[in-house]
Amino acid sequence: MAAAVNTVETEEQSKLRFRVELEFVQCLANPNYLNFLAQRGFFRDKTFVNYLKYLLYWKEPEYAEYLKYPQCLHMLELLQYEHFRKELVNAQCAKFIDEQQLLHWQHYSRKRMRLQQALAEQQQQNNASSK
């Protein structure tokens, strides 16, 4: 008779699982890594696809606040679709996603700089008018 398996996670095991899952979810922001997983057949494995579905809990605010690369959540969402997972086998698809992310960040950086400059100018005007 098989012994009962202890399924209760210790606090240390829970912390380790949190760190491992956090690191893995953030790796999903890298289209080249997604291409690597696709080429090795991970996205055809039903267990792995179920694991990706399980990881959707990272979209909850109490977990998302730990993410450095928020685009990983968008990739995690897209990975829920079989068509997207199949397309990732193609290196050109990964390259396109990578380029789009770079363009997004460039646009975001320029837009943010313009907003900060406008705010600084507005504060200077407010300070000048209050004197």
Side-chain angles (χ1 to χ4, degrees):
M1 183 184 273
V5 177
N6 184 5
T7 59
V8 177
E9 197 174 52
T10 67
E11 185 177 343
E12 191 61 36
Q13 290 170 327
S14 179
K15 287 179 182 179
L16 177 61
R17 183 174 54 83
F18 177 84
R19 288 193 308 265
V20 168
E21 289 178 359
L22 172 62
E23 185 174 339
F24 177 72
V25 166
Q26 292 191 112
C27 286
L28 300 178
N30 183 341
N32 296 309
Y33 180 62
L34 297 179
N35 176 251
F36 171 86
L37 292 174
Q39 289 182 348
R40 281 150 186 82
F42 282 89
F43 297 142
R44 291 188 305 266
D45 180 353
K46 189 164 180 65
T47 303
F48 190 77
V49 172
N50 285 338
Y51 181 63
L52 293 172
K53 189 172 189 175
Y54 156 77
L55 291 174
L56 286 171
Y57 77 86
W58 282 97
K59 293 177 73 177
E60 299 298 322
E62 63 267 21
Y63 294 100
E65 70 179 283
Y66 294 98
L67 298 170
K68 287 184 181 180
Y69 310 105
Q71 67 271 28
C72 67
L73 293 178
H74 184 66
M75 293 298 171
L76 181 59
E77 185 69 36
L78 290 173
L79 286 167
Q80 304 305 310
Y81 299 97
E82 184 180 5
H83 179 72
F84 182 72
R85 294 191 305 265
K86 285 180 178 179
E87 288 297 319
L88 285 169
V89 173
N90 183 350
Q92 284 302 108
C93 177
K95 184 176 189 250
F96 176 77
I97 295 168
D98 194 37
E99 289 170 350
Q100 294 303 304
Q101 283 183 338
L102 180 60
L103 290 171
H104 170 77
W105 282 111
Q106 287 173 340
H107 174 73
Y108 172 81
S109 297
R110 285 192 299 267
K111 184 177 179 181
R112 183 178 170 113
M113 191 179 314
R114 284 194 301 265
L115 288 172
Q116 288 174 336
Q117 287 172 345
L119 181 60
E121 289 171 7
Q122 184 180 21
Q123 287 177 342
Q124 287 177 345
Q125 290 175 353
N126 290 344
N127 290 341
S129 65
S130 65
K131 289 183 180 180

